[in-house]
Amino acid sequence: GHALERLKERGIHMSETELKKLEGAVSSVAAKGGNESLIMVGDAALLVSVKNRTVITAFDRRNLDGNIFTRIDSAAIF
């Protein structure tokens, strides 16, 4: 629910398939010991609290030029 709210705020649409990929990515990052992760799925780049399974913020992947991500310990691209 929280993820969908963040995506809606940013005008980013994710299909049901992409949401399932996000869930799988969070589980994979958790299994590897990640805590705060940048996860890229479809047109979305999401900063995720893996421990809380919560999307902190979301960005349109096409508009990432010049962005710097700090306080992450992992990244997953799907």
Side-chain angles (χ1 to χ4, degrees), residues 8-22:
K8 188 176 179 180
E9 287 173 5
R10 303 282 180 157
I12 301 167
H13 172 74
M14 290 184 74
S15 68
E16 204 53 43
T17 300
E18 290 170 329
L19 289 172
K20 288 182 182 183
K21 284 183 182 181
L22 174 59

Side-chain angles (χ1 to χ4, degrees), residues 25-35 50-51 53:
V26 172
S27 294
S28 294
V29 171
K32 298 274 186 180
N35 295 307
V50 176
K51 180 175 131 182
R53 297 183 90 65

Side-chain angles (χ1 to χ4, degrees), residues 6-74:
R6 288 281 189 215
L7 293 168
K8 188 176 179 180
E9 287 173 5
R10 303 282 180 157
I12 301 167
H13 172 74
M14 290 184 74
S15 68
E16 204 53 43
T17 300
E18 290 170 329
L19 289 172
K20 288 182 182 183
K21 284 183 182 181
L22 174 59
E23 289 176 22
V26 172
S27 294
S28 294
V29 171
K32 298 274 186 180
N35 295 307
E36 303 285 329
S37 187
L38 172 65
I39 300 178
M40 300 176 83
V41 178
D43 289 336
L46 309 136
L47 288 177
V48 177
S49 169
V50 176
K51 180 175 131 182
N52 297 325
R53 297 183 90 65
T54 303
V55 173
I56 298 167
T57 194
F59 301 92
D60 184 329
R61 189 172 177 169
R62 294 168 289 196
N63 296 320
L64 290 180
D65 190 38
N67 281 308
I68 297 171
F69 299 97
T70 60
R71 299 185 187 185
I72 63 170
D73 58 22
S74 53

